[in-house]
Amino acid sequence: MTLAAHERRWATVIAGALIPPGALGGRLAGIDVGARYAAECARSPWHAALLLRATLYIAWLAPIFLYGRLRTFGSLDALGQASLLERLLAHRVYVLRMAAMFLKLTLCTLVLGDEPTLKQIGAYRLTG
Amino acid sequence: MSAARFIDASHSGLPVDEVDFVIVGSGAGGGAAARILAASGARVVVLEEGPHIDARTLGTNAGASMARLFRAGGKQAAFGRATTPILQGACVGGTTFVNSAIVWRLPEKILHHWHERFGLADGLPQRALDDAATIIEDELSARPVVEGVTSNRQDLLLRTGANAIGVEGRFIHRYEKGCRGSSRCLHGCPHEAKQSTAVTSLRRAAADGAHVVAHVRVRKIERKGGRAVAVTGRIGGDGPEAGQPFRLAARRAVIVAGGVIQSSNLLWRSGARMAHLGRHFMSHPGTAVMGLYPARVDAWTGASQGYEAFGMRDTLGVKFESINVPPEVTAARLPGAGARFAERLAELPYVANWSVALRADAEGSIRPSLWFGDLVRYDLVPHDLERLRDAMRTLASMHFAAGAREVLTGVSGLPETLRSPDELELFARAPLDPRAYSLIMTHLFGGCRAGRDPSTSVVDPTLKVHGVDGLYVMDASVFPTNTGVNPQHSIMSVATVAATRLAG
C-alpha cells in the first residue's frame, strides 16, 4: 500500500507533536518520519497497512469529531496537537483509544530505534 | 557440510521431490521432530515459510528486526471485544528464534489432567517426557541466569519485590551458551548464544542429512486412500523461484508443526472437518506493569528475561517475569504526548518492566479467513479478568516494596500512575472489560487438541490425526489445555516423544 504525499506529511506532523524534536537530547531531529511510515505500510499486510493509514486520518480529522470544529490536526498549535493526542489516547471509545495507541506505538517504533537514540537511552550497552 | 543443507527455496527451489518425512514448520515442535527423525536415518525435509536469518545481520532496531522475524511483521491479532496482538516467529527457528528461551518442564499436575481427562497416558507417558526433557536440557544448554553476570537491576528489583510479599521466585532458566547479555533475545540473538532450534536441533538434523528449506509456504496436505502422501504450496521470498508451485511427497508421514494458528488452518485448508478442529484455542495473555525508580534501572542490559516469580501459579494462575521489552515499545506505554511525553522518555532508563502471564480459562477459535489469512477469535472470561486485575495489583505492590516512586498502571479507567501503596486499592475499580487492558499473546495452545475420543479431539494420543494415516501434528496446537508455564520445553518434549515413536 503506497502512502500519498499528504499522508506522509501528516505522519511527520503527528510524530512531531507526539515526540517534540528536542526530546531525548534532540536525537530525533532529521528523521523523515513520513518516509518511514510509508515503508512500514508497504511491508505490512494489507489489513495492517489499512489500519496504519486509518489512524492517520483519525488523528488528522479528530478536531472535527472531538471539538465539533471544522479544523484539522495541522491547524492546531503544538500545545493543541499534544492535547488532542492525549484526548484520543484516553478516549472512552475503545476504537479511538486503540487507534491512537497503535499510532503512538508505530511512531515510537519508527523513530526511537536508531542507534544514537538507543545510546541516549543507554540501551544494549551501546556507548558514545 | 550441514550448512549446505539450509536452503532458500526462493533462490534454488526444493532440493528433492520425495522424502520419508516432511515436517512443516521449524520451531520448537518441528525442530525437535527433525532432530529425532534425521538421527534415525530417515530422509527428512523441514519446510519453513519464513526466511533463514543470519543473526549477525540483525541490528539493535527492534522494529526492523520484527518486520523480518515475526509473522505479519508483528501485526497479527486476535479479535473479540478487544483486539489482542499475537506474536509468533516466522523464520527458520520459528518462535524459538524470537522468544526468551525460558525453560519449564510440563507441570506434572497438567500432564496428570491430560492423562485423566483426555486419555493421553499411553501416548505421552510421564517417564518418556521426563527423559526427553533431560536430553533437550542438555542439548540446548539449559542454565539459570547468573546474578551479576547475565542478570540486570530489573531482575534484582523483582526479586526484592517478590520476597517482600512472600512470592516464591528464581533466576530464569534459559537455553543459552555463551550469553553476553545483549538483551536482544526478543528480536534475535546477535551472537547465536540463545539456543533456538535454528542453531541446535535443526543443525543437528542437518548434520544427519535433513534439509531445512526456507521460504516455502505449504497450502495443502494431499491425501490418497485415507493417507497423507504429500504437501503442496508455493515458494515465497523474492528470489527467482518465488511464486512457483511445488509438490513434495512423503513416503512415511507428514508432520505438521507450523504453530498453533497455522497448523489448525493447514488441516482445515486440506479438507479436515473434525468438529473440534480450530477450537479450544487457549493462551497465556500477558501485560506489563512498569515501575519508575529513583535510580537508573538500565533494563536493556543482561538477559532479556532474568527473574521470575511463580509462587502464585497454583493459586491465582499467574506467573510474573522481568522483561526487557525493546525501548521503542516500552516508550509507547509511557503516558502522554508532546512535552509531557518527552519528559517521560527521559525517564526510560529508570523504568523496570515486569509482566504477568495469565493462565486464562478463556477458549477461542481459529479459522482460515479470506481477508486476513488466519482469523483468531478470543475473549477473556470475567474470571480471567478478575485474576488479571488481582495480579496487576500484586505486581504494583511488589514495585512499591522494591522502592518504586511511581507505578504506571496501564489500565484504562484507572489513574495513569500510582504514587504510593495507599493507592493500590484503586485496582479494585479497574473495569472487568478486556478493552481496558493492553494485553498481548505469545504462548498459544490448542486448535488440534489431542485426545482418545475422535468426536472431541483432532489427533490421537500418539499425535496422529484421527482417521488419517501418515499425518501427525507436533506443536502446541495438540495441547488439550494451556500449561501455566512457558511452553517451548513442553512442546519440544512432546514432539520428541511422538517422533521417537514414529522413528520406530
Side-chain angles (χ1 to χ4, degrees):
Chain A
M1 187 175 281
T2 309
L3 279 194
H6 72 274
E7 292 167 329
R8 291 178 185 221
R9 187 172 58 79
W10 291 0
T12 304
V13 173
I14 295 167
L18 175 70
I19 312 171
L24 291 172
R27 305 286 175 129
L28 310 178
I31 295 175
D32 185 349
V33 180
R36 292 188 183 189
Y37 206 91
E40 185 68 15
C41 285
R43 69 189 179 194
S44 296
W46 72 268
H47 45 86
L50 191 65
L51 182 58
L52 284 166
R53 199 172 204 168
T55 59
L56 290 178
Y57 281 84
I58 288 170
W60 199 259
L61 303 175
I64 298 171
F65 57 83
L66 282 188
Y67 302 143
R69 293 184 196 164
L70 203 56
R71 307 273 305 266
T72 64
F73 188 90
S75 69
L76 304 174
D77 62 18
L79 214 57
Q81 290 176 342
S83 164
L84 183 124
L85 288 175
E86 293 232 14
R87 278 192 66 174
L88 281 173
L89 286 163
H91 204 277
R92 62 184 173 79
V93 175
Y94 174 69
V95 171
L96 291 180
R97 193 167 71 239
M98 281 315 295
M101 190 60 212
F102 186 56
L103 181 60
K104 183 177 181 179
L105 175 62
T106 304
L107 292 173
C108 284
T109 306
L110 292 179
V111 305
L112 298 178
D114 293 346
E115 212 162 276
T117 311
L118 295 172
K119 281 178 183 168
Q120 178 75 20
I121 295 168
Y124 310 129
R125 294 198 177 107
L126 298 172
T127 54
Chain B
M1 175 63 188
S2 66
R5 292 188 169 268
F6 281 79
I7 293 161
D8 183 348
S10 177
H11 289 280
S12 51
L14 263 66
V16 289
D17 53 20
E18 186 179 61
V19 288
D20 294 322
F21 295 101
V22 175
I23 299 176
V24 183
S26 66
R35 158 92 179 95
I36 297 298
L37 295 171
S40 76
R43 294 187 67 205
V44 174
V45 164
V46 180
L47 302 177
E48 168 57 48
E49 181 182 359
H52 184 209
I53 301 285
D54 179 348
R56 291 165 300 185
T57 65
L58 295 167
T60 49
N61 188 311
S65 294
M66 283 181 80
R68 293 176 68 192
L69 302 173
F70 283 81
R71 181 164 297 280
K75 295 184 181 65
Q76 186 180 223
F79 298 97
R81 291 181 71 199
T83 302
T84 310
I86 297 174
L87 292 180
Q88 287 183 294
C91 57
V92 171
T95 300
T96 72
F97 200 83
V98 291
N99 68 8
S100 295
I102 296 175
V103 183
W104 269 87
R105 289 193 178 199
L106 183 63
E108 279 184 28
K109 202 171 156 182
I110 302 291
L111 183 62
H112 181 71
H113 176 62
W114 292 2
H115 286 174
E116 295 298 311
R117 166 80 174 74
F118 300 98
L120 301 185
D122 294 341
L124 301 174
Q126 173 89 55
R127 178 67 185 271
L129 285 169
D130 284 345
D131 290 348
T134 301
I135 292 167
I136 295 163
E137 283 158 15
D138 180 52
E139 289 188 353
L140 273 64
S141 308
R143 63 188 70 179
V145 163
V146 179
E147 184 172 359
V149 181
T150 44
S151 72
N152 63 19
R153 184 154 182 267
Q154 175 172 255
D155 306 326
L156 305 184
L157 289 169
L158 176 56
R159 182 176 65 180
T160 302
N163 286 344
I165 65 165
V167 179
E168 187 183 3
R170 67 176 187 184
F171 283 107
I172 286 176
H173 293 229
R174 304 180 304 149
Y175 307 116
E176 62 93 354
K177 191 151 63 175
C179 175
R180 302 184 199 176
S182 305
S183 202
R184 284 154 56 187
C185 301
L186 304 181
H187 46 112
C189 177
H191 308 297
E192 294 192 344
K194 186 176 76 174
Q195 299 294 285
S196 72
T197 57
V199 299
T200 54
S201 320
L202 293 172
R203 283 191 185 167
R204 285 173 186 266
D208 285 330
H211 286 102
V212 180
V213 190
H215 280 139
V216 182
R217 182 165 175 76
V218 176
R219 295 294 298 173
K220 280 189 179 173
I221 298 156
E222 217 177 87
R223 283 187 279 179
K224 194 173 177 182
R227 181 176 186 84
V229 294
V231 298
T232 59
R234 284 189 187 275
I235 291 171
D238 53 11
E241 297 289 328
Q244 292 297 314
F246 76 89
R247 180 181 184 278
L248 179 59
R251 279 191 292 264
R252 293 175 64 183
V254 172
I255 295 166
V256 178
V260 162
I261 299 168
Q262 295 68 37
S263 290
S264 295
N265 281 345
L266 176 56
L267 293 190
W268 184 271
R269 285 197 306 270
S270 304
R273 289 296 181 269
M274 296 87 158
H276 289 256
L277 178 61
R279 291 174 57 188
H280 312 295
F281 167 76
M282 298 187 85
S283 180
H284 298 149
T287 190
V289 176
M290 298 193 288
L292 270 165
Y293 285 78
R296 288 180 74 100
V297 175
D298 287 325
W300 299 282
T301 56
S304 287
Q305 296 200 248
Y307 196 83
E308 59 189 356
F310 52 81
M312 298 175 81
R313 206 161 50 85
D314 290 332
T315 52
L316 203 55
V318 297
K319 188 154 103 53
F320 304 125
E321 296 165 350
S322 57
I323 179 165
N324 309 347
V325 176
E328 307 96 296
V329 181
T330 302
R333 285 285 304 273
L334 298 174
R340 196 164 78 90
F341 185 52
E343 284 173 21
R344 287 291 188 184
L345 283 177
E347 295 178 315
L348 268 172
Y350 299 83
V351 170
N353 207 354
W354 300 343
S355 67
V356 49
L358 173 74
R359 185 173 180 232
D361 292 337
E363 291 193 6
S365 65
I366 304 161
R367 276 286 180 272
S369 156
L370 190 61
W371 301 107
F372 298 103
D374 303 304
L375 181 61
V376 179
R377 294 186 181 279
Y378 187 75
D379 264 317
L380 288 181
V381 298
H383 178 56
D384 294 331
L385 290 161
E386 284 168 13
R387 290 186 294 128
L388 178 69
R389 190 171 67 176
D390 290 351
M392 293 179 76
R393 183 196 179 285
T394 303
L395 269 182
S397 73
M398 286 158 59
H399 270 305
F400 282 124
R405 59 181 165 84
E406 256 184 282
V407 171
L408 308 181
T409 63
V411 181
S412 177
L414 288 188
E416 286 173 350
T417 61
L418 306 181
R419 290 192 165 78
S420 109
D422 297 338
E423 295 180 303
L424 288 170
E425 292 315 312
L426 289 171
F427 270 102
R429 294 190 347 216
L432 292 177
D433 181 338
R435 294 172 296 188
Y437 301 86
S438 297
L439 292 164
I440 197 161
M441 292 197 281
T442 54
H443 302 167
L444 315 177
F445 309 88
C448 303
R449 81 175 180 187
R452 189 169 291 284
D453 182 355
S455 69
T456 59
S457 58
V458 175
V459 301
D460 71 16
T462 69
L463 309 190
K464 185 182 85 64
V465 174
H466 286 299
V468 185
D469 290 334
L471 181 57
Y472 293 78
V473 183
M474 296 188 190
D475 58 26
S477 66
V478 303
F479 286 18
T481 67
N482 50 11
T483 61
V485 297
N486 311 66
Q488 180 182 338
H489 204 46
S490 306
I491 298 167
M492 295 189 77
S493 302
V494 165
T496 296
V497 169
T500 302
R501 182 180 295 112
L502 196 53

